[in-house]
Amino acid sequence: MAQVSVYNMEGKEVGTLELNDAVFGVKVNEHLVHMAVVNQLANNRQGTQKAKTRSEVSGGGRKPWRQKGTGHARQGSTRAPQWTGGGVVFAPVPRSYTMKMNKKEKRAALKSALTSRVQDNKLIVLDELKLDSIKTKAMANVLKNLNVSKALVILNSNDANVVLSARNIPDVKTAQINTINVYDIMKYSTVVVTKDAVASIEEVYA
């Protein structure tokens, strides 16, 4: 089992913690991690873009001039794409970008992402993370003590003081056990997780 140091909010090491290899020590599957990231980004797309084709724009029901004898090029409708106010050729229409992944693939990708953070020494475990009030400066000081800037902070439960204190700090995001995902784990350079949250992750994903 991999061992990591446990720090307090002052950034001092207060012990060590053994991580479950079933979650934090698996073989990293880069393909599944890539699939999970692409899947999430694709599912976030709205797909609501729309433009009108020549059959949908207004006007132009008749031929603008006769076929021959005017000196103009022949034209069939003022709704044709070459006309100002005409329709768009191959106009985009609303569509779904949704992609699907199997549950087993999602779990394996998440474990791979967590394992890669442990291997790169980018996983910091805190003994606890509690703030007396909503104070951005207090949360910023905790991250400064840990020498962390761009971080994903994983909590065991919804602590309003911590969540609201971290919300205004650039490049910092908070998440709970049921909202962690591969994209966020890979996006942020460091994962800061409480000791309780580690136990919950191991219980859910082991």
Side-chain angles (χ1 to χ4, degrees):
M1 287 187 173
Q3 272 199 346
V4 292
S5 299
V6 178
Y7 298 90
N8 60 18
M9 291 170 57
E10 285 73 43
K12 297 176 182 176
E13 187 174 339
V14 292
T16 59
L17 178 68
E18 282 195 351
L19 300 175
N20 191 336
D21 284 344
V23 179
F24 296 96
V26 301
K27 184 179 179 182
V28 177
N29 190 326
E30 292 182 5
H31 174 62
L32 283 182
V33 171
H34 176 262
M35 276 180 60
V37 171
V38 171
N39 177 74
Q40 183 171 341
L41 293 178
N43 292 345
N44 285 343
R45 295 184 69 176
Q46 283 190 313
T48 54
Q49 69 275 44
K50 176 74 175 76
K52 291 184 178 181
T53 64
R54 62 182 294 167
S55 67
E56 295 168 320
V57 294
S58 61
R62 59 185 284 272
K63 191 174 173 67
W65 51 74
R66 67 180 189 268
Q67 181 81 345
K68 302 173 73 69
T70 63
H72 293 298
R74 51 193 153 186
Q75 298 292 333
S77 169
T78 56
R79 294 187 293 191
Q82 71 269 22
W83 283 72
T84 300
V88 177
V89 184
F90 306 130
V93 293
R95 55 163 290 192
S96 173
Y97 290 94
T98 302
M99 294 175 61
K100 291 184 178 180
M101 275 185 77
N102 297 332
K103 286 183 180 179
K104 286 184 179 180
E105 289 177 329
K106 288 181 181 178
R107 289 174 69 92
L110 188 67
K111 291 178 183 180
S112 291
L114 290 170
T115 299
S116 69
R117 283 291 172 245
V118 174
Q119 292 175 350
D120 296 338
N121 294 320
K122 296 293 185 181
L123 185 100
I124 296 177
V125 179
L126 282 176
D127 59 345
E128 65 173 1
L129 181 55
K130 292 186 182 295
L131 299 177
D132 296 330
S133 60
I134 300 170
K135 197 77 174 174
T136 302
K137 189 175 182 180
M139 186 66 190
N141 284 335
V142 172
L143 296 173
K144 185 179 179 182
N145 293 337
L146 297 171
N147 197 23
V148 169
S149 55
K150 189 176 182 181
L152 174 67
V153 181
I154 302 176
L155 306 170
N156 190 41
S157 57
N158 185 22
D159 188 328
N161 287 351
V162 175
V163 172
L164 295 176
S165 297
R167 187 170 62 178
N168 226 21
I169 304 175
D171 295 327
V172 173
K173 180 178 180 179
T174 56
Q176 296 177 52
I177 304 303
N178 58 346
T179 62
I180 57 175
N181 57 77
V182 175
Y183 175 69
D184 284 341
I185 292 171
M186 301 309 295
K187 176 184 176 181
Y188 293 91
S189 56
T190 307
V191 175
V192 177
V193 57
T194 62
K195 199 172 179 180
D196 291 342
V198 170
S200 296
I201 291 172
E202 291 177 343
E203 185 179 338
V204 173
Y205 293 100

